[in-house]
Amino acid sequence: MTQTKCRVAIVGSTGYGGVELIRLLLQHPHVEITSVISSSSSGVPIADGYPHLNQIMMENLDGVDVAEMKEKADVVFTATPSGVSAKLAPQLLEAGLKVIDLSGDFRLKSPDVYSKWYKKEPAAQAYLDEAVYGLAEVFGAEVPGKPFISNPGCYPTATLLGLIPAVEAGWIDPATIIIDAKSGVSGAGRGLGLSVHYAEINENLAPYKLNKHQHIPEIEQTLGRIAGRDVAVTFSTHLTPMTRGILSTMYATVQGTHTEEDFIKLYREYYEGRRFVRIRDKGKWPATKEVWGSNYCDIGFAVDERTGRVTILSVIDNLMKGAAGQAVQNLNLMLGWDEGAGLAFTPVYP
Amino acid sequence: MTQTKCRVAIVGSTGYGGVELIRLLLQHPHVEITSVISSSSSGVPIADGYPHLNQIMMENLDGVDVAEMKEKADVVFTATPSGVSAKLAPQLLEAGLKVIDLSGDFRLKSPDVYSKWYKKEPAAQAYLDEAVYGLAEVFGAEVPGKPFISNPGCYPTATLLGLIPAVEAGWIDPATIIIDAKSGVSGAGRGLGLSVHYAEINENLAPYKLNKHQHIPEIEQTLGRIAGRDVAVTFSTHLTPMTRGILSTMYATVQGTHTEEDFIKLYREYYEGRRFVRIRDKGKWPATKEVWGSNYCDIGFAVDERTGRVTILSVIDNLMKGAAGQAVQNLNLMLGWDEGAGLAFTPVYP
Amino acid sequence: MTQTKCRVAIVGSTGYGGVELIRLLLQHPHVEITSVISSSSSGVPIADGYPHLNQIMMENLDGVDVAEMKEKADVVFTATPSGVSAKLAPQLLEAGLKVIDLSGDFRLKSPDVYSKWYKKEPAAQAYLDEAVYGLAEVFGAEVPGKPFISNPGCYPTATLLGLIPAVEAGWIDPATIIIDAKSGVSGAGRGLGLSVHYAEINENLAPYKLNKHQHIPEIEQTLGRIAGRDVAVTFSTHLTPMTRGILSTMYATVQGTHTEEDFIKLYREYYEGRRFVRIRDKGKWPATKEVWGSNYCDIGFAVDERTGRVTILSVIDNLMKGAAGQAVQNLNLMLGWDEGAGLAFTPVYP
Amino acid sequence: MTQTKCRVAIVGSTGYGGVELIRLLLQHPHVEITSVISSSSSGVPIADGYPHLNQIMMENLDGVDVAEMKEKADVVFTATPSGVSAKLAPQLLEAGLKVIDLSGDFRLKSPDVYSKWYKKEPAAQAYLDEAVYGLAEVFGAEVPGKPFISNPGCYPTATLLGLIPAVEAGWIDPATIIIDAKSGVSGAGRGLGLSVHYAEINENLAPYKLNKHQHIPEIEQTLGRIAGRDVAVTFSTHLTPMTRGILSTMYATVQGTHTEEDFIKLYREYYEGRRFVRIRDKGKWPATKEVWGSNYCDIGFAVDERTGRVTILSVIDNLMKGAAGQAVQNLNLMLGWDEGAGLAFTPVYP
């Protein structure tokens, strides 16, 4: 192949999102990883902290140095904790690098809303405006050629892909949306804490951050954009004793008369041609394991005529479609490659 | 102690509910287990199939024989699959035995509703009428002295204890109730099946029986009785990769202005003096592990002023408060003993 | 009952061993917990950090104060990290308290050996000499009336109960003993660390501390005492994705001709009358779940005539027979109560 | 690419080994899957039973029909239960097809030994003789151009790769080898059973088939071939509460004086150029998760000078290097492709 490979740097390589990006990009046909970066562990081999990378990636971690990134890379993925990218991404953009940001720092268009929910200093408005919200199957058309993509959060990805077609069609009342989301533990990252201590969360199911999760404004901003008016949702999150997977169970009152078959048809048409969204047949509902390790989002429906509500089920692998997988999908769209390049992972089952 | 012990027989001893009854009754101060019964394995020692009972219970399993039960026991627990008790319990009652039924056969007062949801032949109306629905903290006053108790289902127990005080007070609109329930795998019993095969459900979260679970009419019948009018709920169930535990996350629109503190106060007053229901402080939500192996039901709240909804969280151990534990509680109430006799289990943590 | 209850204090109440002691002692017929103590969290309710104790134990944690313990208690359990008891236990003994120590500080009789394996300063020789090693089924006869018991480690308990009858009988060659031990994650305690971070150890099996575990000298000291000569063992430990349970798989060359039946008979005679050791029938091997939540140690055998070796399998719940359960058993022996008082827990299954 | 793809059929496509072959071969650069075959489910879409394959593989399952396979395929993978391939593989070979067999039917060269351990009728001696035992890193040189490969068992793969270099070098005494193996539950396949029922094996560690596992003669036959004399091993297997992964912990007496560094050097030289075996540095031991979803076998060592023994640790993913991965590796070797074609999977972590 004579094509020059795109040179990629990954900031936050020692987090779970970063290490998943490495797994994906190592076998991407058009990409070469030229720098793995960690603010805390620079100078040591990444395989020291992640022995599964032995003999696969033996490079030392680089420190966070914009000039060095400019030297080594064309595109930078920033898989940093929130609050870090707000400052770093603008510098990378100013240096002429393309940036795909996996933190939450550029998803909300309003700095005030960001401050309220993230309790961090927001990025400058200009950059918030510039960032394209990369929910690939919905806003993917805005991505090609753009230098700066804000990758959606894990819960919003599962939730929005499950809600948007129905909201856009006016089939559900946005004021009635209730989202009961469940996540595997890897969503909390590699940082230590009692809530993700094995003996505490194994054989346990724990609700957390009810109505307070920072992904709420991201969901509401996007639904509002689709609905053309303000939307407020009830949103619950639960930690589930598994490593990967998000299931978002969503409830809403149906407007008009629409059967399960109608919903299936509506969604299949909406996602026509988008290979990573799979709509289940009538009476079949997706389980998280059926997308494990892959970039798929699987969606199913149950319409209850007794109550006039639809239940929508949406599952993803939180580290794939909910983070690194969709980020690679955005890279593909950004650079005009096939949307699925380097993402042809069949779910690992069992 | 000179008190004669109550002689107890357990039909369905080789199911998970039955074997949990054995664990509890073995150390109950007023009870002696005189017969462990299994239709499929009679004649062999129960410890053959449950080696954890070695040197604890070495008895052979008896067959299902009403006359023999009459000979050996005062009270019979029927922990059978649905459809079996419908026929057996009336025979036991006719023989003069007291019966606590853990199957679903006597929970619904309408044989038609039973037939529709259970797809089995219903019990005779007279016995449906006679059975006291033993949701101990709500209807416990009806239990003393009665010969026939129908023990509530696992999902209904968690759900109803979480909803009833608010419904009774008129603080939530029954028409808006949505129940997102999650259960550990032991709720499916010891019967083999692909959905409970280890490699299929480990690291997996799977919705099932949406709007079709046979516990729905039980919840609706009871809420209707409290509300004084028909109630229809949206009810979703999910299989979670853990052995024990149910978390019911419930949503409803608040009627009037009631804060989280108000709900806490209301529920604490409602459950005053009932030791097995614990209401969490403001901002604290229960996790399933916090009641593991015990008879507690822990309840917490989140009121969202933005949407006018309350989220109610209720957790139980499905084999304890959701089955055997509440059955023993009903035995205690039936015979006039202390409600908590033989149930002083601190949750096993971690 | 007119008997005055024994007043008990627990140092290290916020560790897993401490909180398990609380669970056991709360329902012990002869004991009253009068002080729960934590060096790090004194002044706050223990239920703050352990919500499963809500409405069960609402006391505030006390600080570590010898005079206060003397005031409040007759017996002190020290469930502290190693290095702490070495200093504290002597003070408690000097104050006239009885002490049951769950740390490793008094198990090894040689301060030099302790220093080498624990990398901590050893206790004074006089106290090392005074401490009775409380492996209840083997050395229990030494416990009654003694003020100071050193409770065995979790791995040594499973391992020694599995090896001692055969070593004492001369049926296996001590020089050939190889121990492959596996533990649930709770054995590592509540302290945070990457090796016990949920996403790292779930769906994982990880060897650690090969030939370096601090329980090795405890095993060798005890086997040496039984064999009457120095014994060195090969000892491997593995972290298993479960919360509780130890399985010790032990290999040794058989001396003389002894069948599986012979081993079963030998062990049943050795443990005659000791209810907490259960020897399995021929061809049956114990699994960890069969003792979960109980004080049992279950043992099974496989003799391989092709290689002349015996494989001995021994399982315990590491927090029960491997820590708090055996500590209560030692309390019972120390004070002349029935060995099983407060320990009649049937294993929780499933 | 103008190369014609190799057409592949998979018999036993609905087992875990078969479905893993599908995952691998779907993205193999030189292969096209032309038939997925199941004796029990022919005529229905494979995605019906495996929803993770929705929109990935929508083909109906074919029945077992040699003529049809001859029509459709060049190479057949037989991932059948033992006893089936013994009859089927010879027919396929006679029809001129190439066969890679994942059952155990052609691993043992002696029909008598096969009958004794597998309790099935053995294949004809001529086919046992013809089958090349495809332990790729050891006997891979025998594979190219051969029509019939017998793929090694999961336990033997982990065990033999861990033992062979030391046995061949004469560094360990074959008569002292003890193998303590632990496996995830997927190794037992998709067939239902109480031992792999979720509630029974979750939070459990269960020994099984001690000294009786049918993989013992395969290990002994191969070690005997390397050592040049009969070898008998002690071999224990344990079921571990995880889906994938095998850890084989092996013990042997060191002959001569060899340090940990010596073993590391010996093994690195032995496996020089074989990318799928990774030897850990001194003091580092592999965990199963570090090879999860990949074709790697990671090996580490601990030499204990006190006892003169070496402990060798070897981990694989049982469905990859222990089954489908190595089968694809053998396909690559058979047809002269790069050994790693289609196998460039970085382990999925976490």
Side-chain angles (χ1 to χ4, degrees), chain A residues 175 180 200 203-205 220 234 236 238 243-244 249 251 288-289 292 306 309 349, chain B residues 175 180 182 200 203-205 220 234 236 238 243-244 249 251 288-289 292 306 309 349:
Chain A
D180 190 289
E200 304 276 325
E203 189 70 9
N204 197 2
L205 182 59
E220 294 182 344
T234 292
S236 300
H238 307 76
T243 300
R244 290 174 178 234
T249 310
Y251 305 91
T288 59
K289 200 179 180 76
W292 208 100
R306 301 184 326 131
R309 296 192 190 102
Y349 196 95
Chain B
D180 190 290
K182 302 98 178 162
E200 303 276 325
E203 189 71 8
N204 197 2
L205 182 59
E220 294 182 343
T234 292
S236 301
H238 306 78
T243 300
R244 290 175 179 234
T249 311
Y251 305 90
T288 59
K289 202 179 178 76
W292 208 100
R306 301 185 327 130
R309 295 193 191 101
Y349 197 95

Short mmCIF file of all heavy atoms in Angstrom, two decimals, chain A residues 175 180 200 203-205 220 234 236 238 243-244 249 251 288-289 292 306 309 349, chain B residues 175 180 182 200 203-205 220 234 236 238 243-244 249 251 288-289 292 306 309 349:
data_model
loop_
_atom_site.label_atom_id
_atom_site.label_comp_id
_atom_site.label_asym_id
_atom_site.label_seq_id
_atom_site.Cartn_x
_atom_site.Cartn_y
_atom_site.Cartn_z
N ALA A 175 -41.55 15.27 26.91
CA ALA A 175 -41.74 15.60 28.32
C ALA A 175 -41.95 14.37 29.19
O ALA A 175 -41.94 14.46 30.42
CB ALA A 175 -42.92 16.55 28.49
N ASP A 180 -33.65 4.80 32.35
CA ASP A 180 -33.07 3.98 33.41
C ASP A 180 -31.84 3.30 32.82
O ASP A 180 -31.95 2.33 32.08
CB ASP A 180 -34.09 2.95 33.90
CG ASP A 180 -33.63 2.23 35.15
OD1 ASP A 180 -32.71 1.41 35.03
OD2 ASP A 180 -34.17 2.49 36.23
N GLU A 200 -16.72 -4.93 46.90
CA GLU A 200 -17.87 -4.07 47.17
C GLU A 200 -18.90 -4.09 46.03
O GLU A 200 -20.09 -3.89 46.26
CB GLU A 200 -17.41 -2.61 47.38
CG GLU A 200 -16.38 -2.43 48.48
CD GLU A 200 -16.99 -2.30 49.88
OE1 GLU A 200 -18.08 -1.73 50.01
OE2 GLU A 200 -16.35 -2.80 50.84
N GLU A 203 -21.32 -9.02 42.88
CA GLU A 203 -22.58 -9.48 43.49
C GLU A 203 -23.32 -8.30 44.12
O GLU A 203 -23.82 -8.36 45.24
CB GLU A 203 -22.28 -10.57 44.53
CG GLU A 203 -23.48 -11.30 45.10
CD GLU A 203 -24.21 -12.23 44.14
OE1 GLU A 203 -23.73 -12.47 43.03
OE2 GLU A 203 -25.28 -12.70 44.51
N ASN A 204 -23.37 -7.20 43.38
CA ASN A 204 -24.02 -6.00 43.87
C ASN A 204 -24.57 -5.21 42.68
O ASN A 204 -24.08 -5.32 41.57
CB ASN A 204 -23.00 -5.13 44.63
CG ASN A 204 -23.66 -4.07 45.52
OD1 ASN A 204 -24.88 -3.99 45.61
ND2 ASN A 204 -22.85 -3.26 46.15
N LEU A 205 -25.59 -4.45 42.93
CA LEU A 205 -26.18 -3.58 41.92
C LEU A 205 -26.47 -2.28 42.65
O LEU A 205 -27.25 -2.27 43.60
CB LEU A 205 -27.46 -4.21 41.37
CG LEU A 205 -28.20 -3.48 40.26
CD1 LEU A 205 -27.32 -3.27 39.04
CD2 LEU A 205 -29.44 -4.27 39.84
N GLU A 220 -30.02 16.17 27.13
CA GLU A 220 -31.08 17.16 26.98
C GLU A 220 -30.77 18.17 25.87
O GLU A 220 -31.65 18.57 25.10
CB GLU A 220 -31.33 17.87 28.31
CG GLU A 220 -31.89 16.91 29.37
CD GLU A 220 -32.21 17.58 30.69
OE1 GLU A 220 -31.72 18.72 30.92
OE2 GLU A 220 -32.92 16.98 31.51
N THR A 234 -35.82 12.48 33.11
CA THR A 234 -35.45 11.80 34.35
C THR A 234 -34.43 10.75 33.97
O THR A 234 -34.65 9.97 33.04
CB THR A 234 -36.69 11.15 34.98
OG1 THR A 234 -37.57 12.19 35.42
CG2 THR A 234 -36.31 10.27 36.16
N SER A 236 -31.58 7.92 35.49
CA SER A 236 -30.99 7.17 36.60
C SER A 236 -29.85 6.30 36.10
O SER A 236 -29.95 5.72 35.03
CB SER A 236 -32.03 6.23 37.24
OG SER A 236 -33.11 6.95 37.73
N HIS A 238 -27.03 3.15 37.17
CA HIS A 238 -26.80 2.04 38.09
C HIS A 238 -25.50 1.35 37.72
O HIS A 238 -25.25 1.10 36.53
CB HIS A 238 -27.93 1.00 37.99
CG HIS A 238 -29.30 1.54 38.16
ND1 HIS A 238 -29.95 2.25 37.17
CD2 HIS A 238 -30.16 1.50 39.20
CE1 HIS A 238 -31.16 2.60 37.60
NE2 HIS A 238 -31.31 2.17 38.82
N THR A 243 -17.81 -5.84 33.61
CA THR A 243 -16.76 -4.89 33.25
C THR A 243 -17.23 -3.93 32.17
O THR A 243 -17.04 -2.72 32.28
CB THR A 243 -15.50 -5.65 32.79
OG1 THR A 243 -15.06 -6.47 33.86
CG2 THR A 243 -14.39 -4.68 32.40
N ARG A 244 -17.82 -4.45 31.11
CA ARG A 244 -18.22 -3.64 29.97
C ARG A 244 -19.71 -3.75 29.71
O ARG A 244 -20.30 -4.80 29.95
CB ARG A 244 -17.51 -4.10 28.70
CG ARG A 244 -16.04 -3.81 28.68
CD ARG A 244 -15.43 -4.43 27.43
NE ARG A 244 -14.01 -4.14 27.37
CZ ARG A 244 -13.41 -3.57 26.33
NH1 ARG A 244 -14.08 -3.28 25.24
NH2 ARG A 244 -12.12 -3.31 26.37
N THR A 249 -32.55 1.62 29.35
CA THR A 249 -33.96 1.28 29.20
C THR A 249 -34.74 2.58 29.28
O THR A 249 -34.67 3.29 30.27
CB THR A 249 -34.42 0.32 30.33
OG1 THR A 249 -33.50 -0.77 30.42
CG2 THR A 249 -35.81 -0.22 30.04
N TYR A 251 -38.29 4.95 28.64
CA TYR A 251 -39.74 4.93 28.67
C TYR A 251 -40.28 6.27 28.18
O TYR A 251 -39.74 7.32 28.53
CB TYR A 251 -40.23 4.71 30.10
CG TYR A 251 -39.67 3.47 30.74
CD1 TYR A 251 -38.49 3.50 31.47
CD2 TYR A 251 -40.31 2.24 30.58
CE1 TYR A 251 -37.96 2.36 32.04
CE2 TYR A 251 -39.79 1.08 31.15
CZ TYR A 251 -38.61 1.15 31.88
OH TYR A 251 -38.09 0.01 32.44
N THR A 288 -26.48 -6.77 26.64
CA THR A 288 -25.20 -6.07 26.46
C THR A 288 -24.11 -6.96 25.86
O THR A 288 -23.26 -6.49 25.11
CB THR A 288 -24.68 -5.51 27.79
OG1 THR A 288 -24.52 -6.58 28.73
CG2 THR A 288 -25.63 -4.47 28.36
N LYS A 289 -24.15 -8.24 26.19
CA LYS A 289 -23.09 -9.13 25.73
C LYS A 289 -23.12 -9.29 24.21
O LYS A 289 -22.12 -9.69 23.61
CB LYS A 289 -23.29 -10.48 26.39
CG LYS A 289 -22.07 -11.37 26.43
CD LYS A 289 -22.42 -12.67 27.15
CE LYS A 289 -21.24 -13.60 27.21
NZ LYS A 289 -20.26 -13.21 28.23
N TRP A 292 -20.60 -6.85 22.90
CA TRP A 292 -19.36 -6.79 23.69
C TRP A 292 -18.11 -6.77 22.79
O TRP A 292 -17.93 -7.65 21.94
CB TRP A 292 -19.32 -8.02 24.60
CG TRP A 292 -18.57 -7.87 25.88
CD1 TRP A 292 -19.08 -7.63 27.11
CD2 TRP A 292 -17.16 -7.98 26.06
NE1 TRP A 292 -18.06 -7.58 28.04
CE2 TRP A 292 -16.88 -7.78 27.43
CE3 TRP A 292 -16.08 -8.21 25.18
CZ2 TRP A 292 -15.59 -7.82 27.95
CZ3 TRP A 292 -14.80 -8.24 25.70
CH2 TRP A 292 -14.56 -8.05 27.07
N ARG A 306 -51.64 -1.17 27.02
CA ARG A 306 -52.39 -0.90 28.26
C ARG A 306 -52.06 0.47 28.84
O ARG A 306 -52.91 1.13 29.42
CB ARG A 306 -52.07 -1.98 29.30
CG ARG A 306 -52.42 -3.40 28.82
CD ARG A 306 -52.17 -4.42 29.95
NE ARG A 306 -51.04 -4.02 30.77
CZ ARG A 306 -51.06 -3.97 32.09
NH1 ARG A 306 -52.15 -4.31 32.74
NH2 ARG A 306 -49.99 -3.60 32.76
N ARG A 309 -47.44 3.39 26.54
CA ARG A 309 -46.01 3.75 26.57
C ARG A 309 -45.19 2.81 25.68
O ARG A 309 -45.55 1.66 25.47
CB ARG A 309 -45.46 3.66 27.99
CG ARG A 309 -46.10 4.66 28.94
CD ARG A 309 -45.34 4.77 30.25
NE ARG A 309 -46.15 5.55 31.17
CZ ARG A 309 -46.88 5.04 32.16
NH1 ARG A 309 -46.88 3.74 32.40
NH2 ARG A 309 -47.61 5.84 32.92
N TYR A 349 -18.19 -13.37 21.77
CA TYR A 349 -19.26 -14.10 22.43
C TYR A 349 -18.90 -15.57 22.52
O TYR A 349 -18.60 -16.16 21.48
CB TYR A 349 -20.56 -13.91 21.66
CG TYR A 349 -21.79 -14.30 22.46
CD1 TYR A 349 -22.50 -13.35 23.16
CD2 TYR A 349 -22.18 -15.62 22.52
CE1 TYR A 349 -23.60 -13.69 23.91
CE2 TYR A 349 -23.29 -15.99 23.29
CZ TYR A 349 -24.00 -15.02 23.96
OH TYR A 349 -25.08 -15.36 24.72
N ALA B 175 -51.31 6.39 37.73
CA ALA B 175 -51.30 6.20 36.29
C ALA B 175 -49.93 6.47 35.67
O ALA B 175 -49.72 6.19 34.49
CB ALA B 175 -52.34 7.12 35.64
N ASP B 180 -38.77 -0.19 36.74
CA ASP B 180 -37.64 -0.82 36.05
C ASP B 180 -36.96 -1.73 37.07
O ASP B 180 -36.23 -1.27 37.93
CB ASP B 180 -36.69 0.27 35.55
CG ASP B 180 -35.62 -0.28 34.64
OD1 ASP B 180 -34.74 -0.99 35.16
OD2 ASP B 180 -35.67 -0.03 33.42
N LYS B 182 -34.66 -5.09 38.32
CA LYS B 182 -33.48 -5.87 37.95
C LYS B 182 -33.33 -6.98 38.98
O LYS B 182 -33.40 -6.74 40.17
CB LYS B 182 -32.22 -5.01 38.00
CG LYS B 182 -32.21 -3.78 37.11
CD LYS B 182 -32.59 -2.51 37.86
CE LYS B 182 -32.51 -1.28 36.99
NZ LYS B 182 -33.27 -0.14 37.56
N GLU B 200 -23.35 -17.47 29.26
CA GLU B 200 -24.28 -16.59 28.54
C GLU B 200 -24.69 -15.37 29.35
O GLU B 200 -25.00 -14.32 28.80
CB GLU B 200 -25.54 -17.38 28.15
CG GLU B 200 -25.30 -18.63 27.33
CD GLU B 200 -25.15 -18.37 25.82
OE1 GLU B 200 -25.82 -17.47 25.31
OE2 GLU B 200 -24.35 -19.08 25.17
N GLU B 203 -21.10 -11.40 32.75
CA GLU B 203 -20.71 -10.22 31.96
C GLU B 203 -21.79 -9.89 30.93
O GLU B 203 -21.53 -9.63 29.76
CB GLU B 203 -19.35 -10.49 31.27
CG GLU B 203 -18.70 -9.31 30.60
CD GLU B 203 -18.15 -8.25 31.53
OE1 GLU B 203 -18.11 -8.45 32.75
OE2 GLU B 203 -17.77 -7.19 31.02
N ASN B 204 -23.03 -9.91 31.40
CA ASN B 204 -24.16 -9.63 30.52
C ASN B 204 -25.29 -9.01 31.34
O ASN B 204 -25.38 -9.23 32.54
CB ASN B 204 -24.65 -10.95 29.87
CG ASN B 204 -25.53 -10.72 28.65
OD1 ASN B 204 -25.77 -9.58 28.25
ND2 ASN B 204 -26.01 -11.79 28.07
N LEU B 205 -26.09 -8.24 30.69
CA LEU B 205 -27.27 -7.65 31.32
C LEU B 205 -28.36 -7.78 30.28
O LEU B 205 -28.26 -7.24 29.18
CB LEU B 205 -26.99 -6.18 31.66
CG LEU B 205 -28.09 -5.39 32.36
CD1 LEU B 205 -28.47 -6.02 33.69
CD2 LEU B 205 -27.61 -3.96 32.61
N GLU B 220 -50.42 -4.88 40.20
CA GLU B 220 -51.57 -4.03 39.88
C GLU B 220 -52.76 -4.30 40.80
O GLU B 220 -53.47 -3.39 41.21
CB GLU B 220 -51.95 -4.21 38.41
CG GLU B 220 -50.86 -3.69 37.48
CD GLU B 220 -51.20 -3.80 36.00
OE1 GLU B 220 -52.14 -4.55 35.67
OE2 GLU B 220 -50.52 -3.15 35.19
N THR B 234 -46.25 0.18 33.89
CA THR B 234 -45.24 -0.29 32.94
C THR B 234 -44.18 -0.99 33.77
O THR B 234 -43.69 -0.43 34.76
CB THR B 234 -44.64 0.90 32.18
OG1 THR B 234 -45.66 1.44 31.33
CG2 THR B 234 -43.46 0.47 31.33
N SER B 236 -40.67 -3.46 33.63
CA SER B 236 -39.59 -4.11 32.89
C SER B 236 -38.72 -4.91 33.83
O SER B 236 -38.45 -4.48 34.95
CB SER B 236 -38.69 -3.05 32.23
OG SER B 236 -39.41 -2.25 31.35
N HIS B 238 -35.02 -7.21 34.18
CA HIS B 238 -33.69 -7.40 33.61
C HIS B 238 -32.94 -8.42 34.43
O HIS B 238 -32.95 -8.36 35.66
CB HIS B 238 -32.90 -6.09 33.65
CG HIS B 238 -33.57 -4.92 33.02
ND1 HIS B 238 -34.59 -4.23 33.65
CD2 HIS B 238 -33.38 -4.31 31.83
CE1 HIS B 238 -35.00 -3.23 32.86
NE2 HIS B 238 -34.30 -3.26 31.76
N THR B 243 -25.95 -13.49 41.74
CA THR B 243 -26.79 -14.60 42.15
C THR B 243 -28.06 -14.12 42.85
O THR B 243 -29.16 -14.55 42.53
CB THR B 243 -26.00 -15.56 43.06
OG1 THR B 243 -24.88 -16.05 42.32
CG2 THR B 243 -26.86 -16.74 43.50
N ARG B 244 -27.89 -13.23 43.81
CA ARG B 244 -29.02 -12.76 44.61
C ARG B 244 -29.19 -11.26 44.52
O ARG B 244 -28.22 -10.53 44.36
CB ARG B 244 -28.79 -13.08 46.09
CG ARG B 244 -28.86 -14.55 46.42
CD ARG B 244 -28.49 -14.75 47.89
NE ARG B 244 -28.58 -16.15 48.23
CZ ARG B 244 -29.28 -16.63 49.24
NH1 ARG B 244 -29.94 -15.82 50.05
NH2 ARG B 244 -29.33 -17.92 49.48
N THR B 249 -36.33 0.02 40.52
CA THR B 249 -36.24 1.48 40.38
C THR B 249 -37.58 1.94 39.85
O THR B 249 -38.01 1.51 38.77
CB THR B 249 -35.11 1.87 39.41
OG1 THR B 249 -33.91 1.18 39.76
CG2 THR B 249 -34.86 3.37 39.45
N TYR B 251 -40.53 4.97 39.06
CA TYR B 251 -40.72 6.37 38.68
C TYR B 251 -42.20 6.72 38.73
O TYR B 251 -43.04 5.93 38.30
CB TYR B 251 -40.21 6.60 37.26
CG TYR B 251 -38.78 6.18 37.05
CD1 TYR B 251 -38.46 4.88 36.63
CD2 TYR B 251 -37.74 7.06 37.29
CE1 TYR B 251 -37.15 4.49 36.46
CE2 TYR B 251 -36.41 6.68 37.12
CZ TYR B 251 -36.12 5.39 36.71
OH TYR B 251 -34.83 5.00 36.54
N THR B 288 -28.07 -3.55 46.36
CA THR B 288 -28.59 -4.87 46.70
C THR B 288 -27.74 -5.62 47.72
O THR B 288 -28.25 -6.37 48.55
CB THR B 288 -28.72 -5.77 45.45
OG1 THR B 288 -27.45 -5.91 44.83
CG2 THR B 288 -29.72 -5.19 44.46
N LYS B 289 -26.43 -5.39 47.66
CA LYS B 289 -25.54 -6.13 48.57
C LYS B 289 -25.77 -5.75 50.02
O LYS B 289 -25.39 -6.50 50.92
CB LYS B 289 -24.09 -5.80 48.17
CG LYS B 289 -23.06 -6.81 48.59
CD LYS B 289 -21.69 -6.35 48.12
CE LYS B 289 -20.60 -7.31 48.55
NZ LYS B 289 -20.59 -8.52 47.74
N TRP B 292 -28.06 -8.38 51.38
CA TRP B 292 -27.72 -9.73 50.93
C TRP B 292 -27.79 -10.74 52.10
O TRP B 292 -27.16 -10.56 53.12
CB TRP B 292 -26.32 -9.72 50.33
CG TRP B 292 -26.05 -10.75 49.28
CD1 TRP B 292 -26.05 -10.58 47.94
CD2 TRP B 292 -25.69 -12.12 49.49
NE1 TRP B 292 -25.72 -11.75 47.30
CE2 TRP B 292 -25.50 -12.72 48.23
CE3 TRP B 292 -25.52 -12.91 50.62
CZ2 TRP B 292 -25.14 -14.06 48.07
CZ3 TRP B 292 -25.18 -14.24 50.47
CH2 TRP B 292 -24.98 -14.80 49.20
N ARG B 306 -37.03 19.34 38.53
CA ARG B 306 -37.07 19.74 37.12
C ARG B 306 -38.20 19.03 36.37
O ARG B 306 -38.81 19.58 35.46
CB ARG B 306 -35.74 19.43 36.44
CG ARG B 306 -34.55 20.14 37.10
CD ARG B 306 -33.27 19.89 36.31
NE ARG B 306 -33.28 18.56 35.72
CZ ARG B 306 -33.01 18.31 34.45
NH1 ARG B 306 -32.70 19.29 33.63
NH2 ARG B 306 -33.05 17.07 34.01
N ARG B 309 -40.89 14.50 39.10
CA ARG B 309 -41.02 13.06 39.36
C ARG B 309 -40.23 12.64 40.58
O ARG B 309 -39.23 13.25 40.94
CB ARG B 309 -40.50 12.26 38.15
CG ARG B 309 -41.33 12.45 36.90
CD ARG B 309 -40.99 11.43 35.83
NE ARG B 309 -41.64 11.84 34.57
CZ ARG B 309 -40.99 12.46 33.57
NH1 ARG B 309 -39.70 12.69 33.63
NH2 ARG B 309 -41.66 12.82 32.50
N TYR B 349 -21.75 -9.14 54.43
CA TYR B 349 -21.04 -8.10 53.68
C TYR B 349 -19.57 -8.16 53.99
O TYR B 349 -19.23 -8.14 55.16
CB TYR B 349 -21.60 -6.72 54.04
CG TYR B 349 -21.22 -5.66 53.06
CD1 TYR B 349 -22.07 -5.30 52.02
CD2 TYR B 349 -19.99 -5.03 53.15
CE1 TYR B 349 -21.71 -4.34 51.11
CE2 TYR B 349 -19.62 -4.08 52.23
CZ TYR B 349 -20.47 -3.72 51.22
OH TYR B 349 -20.10 -2.78 50.29
#
